[in-house]
Amino acid sequence: MTDSSTTTRGKILVIDDSEIVIAAVRMILEDAGYTVVTLNSPFGTSPRILRERPDLVLLDLMMPGLTGDKIVEVVRRTPALVNTLIVLHSDRSAEELAAAAQRCGADGFILKTCEEQELVTQVQQWLAKRPAPGAREASVH
């Protein structure tokens, strides 16, 4: 197990209405050396992103009250958050997630899986693809 108090691979904000998913993802990513912060409701996402400044937002697509794709649309309209790396996280099909990500402006998706190493690998891959600061801002104007 990695001691995340001395070194961290990055900060991940996990947003999901399932406490079980949050607990499992937190355990997996913290064991891999990431700092994990969570939100169990879609409401308050933008202020939480502003406060936490995560390297990656892992966002459930299907939540009661406000779906992940709508959250992404709101976040993308907030100038201070336009470069936030947002990846949808769902058990929907890859085709449905790809379409939702493209439609709403998410950076991509990760399928919910029981394979711990698969989640860690995909998070690492997304973090390696982070847009440079200001990259999206130029394309938004």
Side-chain angles (χ1 to χ4, degrees), residues 116-131:
E116 295 178 16
Q117 189 54 51
E118 181 65 22
L119 175 61
V120 172
T121 298
Q122 289 196 40
V123 165
Q124 290 171 338
Q125 290 170 347
W126 278 109
L127 288 172
K129 295 179 189 180
R130 268 185 291 209

Side-chain angles (χ1 to χ4, degrees), residues 71-132:
I71 293 169
V72 175
E73 291 172 5
V74 169
V75 170
R76 292 291 185 236
R77 289 193 302 260
T78 305
L81 301 178
V82 74
N83 286 317
T84 302
L85 181 61
I86 304 173
V87 176
L88 299 176
H89 187 229
S90 179
D91 58 3
R92 302 288 173 143
S93 71
E95 295 79 20
E96 186 176 347
L97 283 171
Q102 184 174 19
R103 183 176 61 248
C104 71
D107 293 285
F109 66 90
I110 295 175
L111 291 171
K112 287 184 179 177
T113 177
C114 294
E115 297 295 326
E116 295 178 16
Q117 189 54 51
E118 181 65 22
L119 175 61
V120 172
T121 298
Q122 289 196 40
V123 165
Q124 290 171 338
Q125 290 170 347
W126 278 109
L127 288 172
K129 295 179 189 180
R130 268 185 291 209

Side-chain angles (χ1 to χ4, degrees), residues 7-120:
T7 183
T8 182
R9 300 175 84 180
K11 183 188 283 189
I12 312 297
L13 172 58
V14 178
I15 304 170
D16 201 301
D17 61 309
S18 168
E19 291 294 336
I20 293 169
V21 170
I22 285 176
V25 170
R26 176 194 291 273
M27 181 191 70
I28 293 165
L29 294 178
E30 284 180 346
D31 283 352
Y34 294 98
T35 299
V36 178
V37 291
T38 63
L39 186 60
N40 65 356
S41 166
F43 302 103
T45 297
S46 292
R48 189 66 183 267
I49 294 171
L50 283 167
R51 185 172 67 246
E52 298 292 345
R53 295 293 182 189
D55 297 298
L56 171 77
V57 175
L58 201 55
L59 176 63
D60 186 21
L61 181 61
M62 301 308 299
M63 291 182 283
L66 191 60
T67 58
D69 54 340
K70 298 300 181 199
I71 293 169
V72 175
E73 291 172 5
V74 169
V75 170
R76 292 291 185 236
R77 289 193 302 260
T78 305
L81 301 178
V82 74
N83 286 317
T84 302
L85 181 61
I86 304 173
V87 176
L88 299 176
H89 187 229
S90 179
D91 58 3
R92 302 288 173 143
S93 71
E95 295 79 20
E96 186 176 347
L97 283 171
Q102 184 174 19
R103 183 176 61 248
C104 71
D107 293 285
F109 66 90
I110 295 175
L111 291 171
K112 287 184 179 177
T113 177
C114 294
E115 297 295 326
E116 295 178 16
Q117 189 54 51
E118 181 65 22
L119 175 61
V120 172

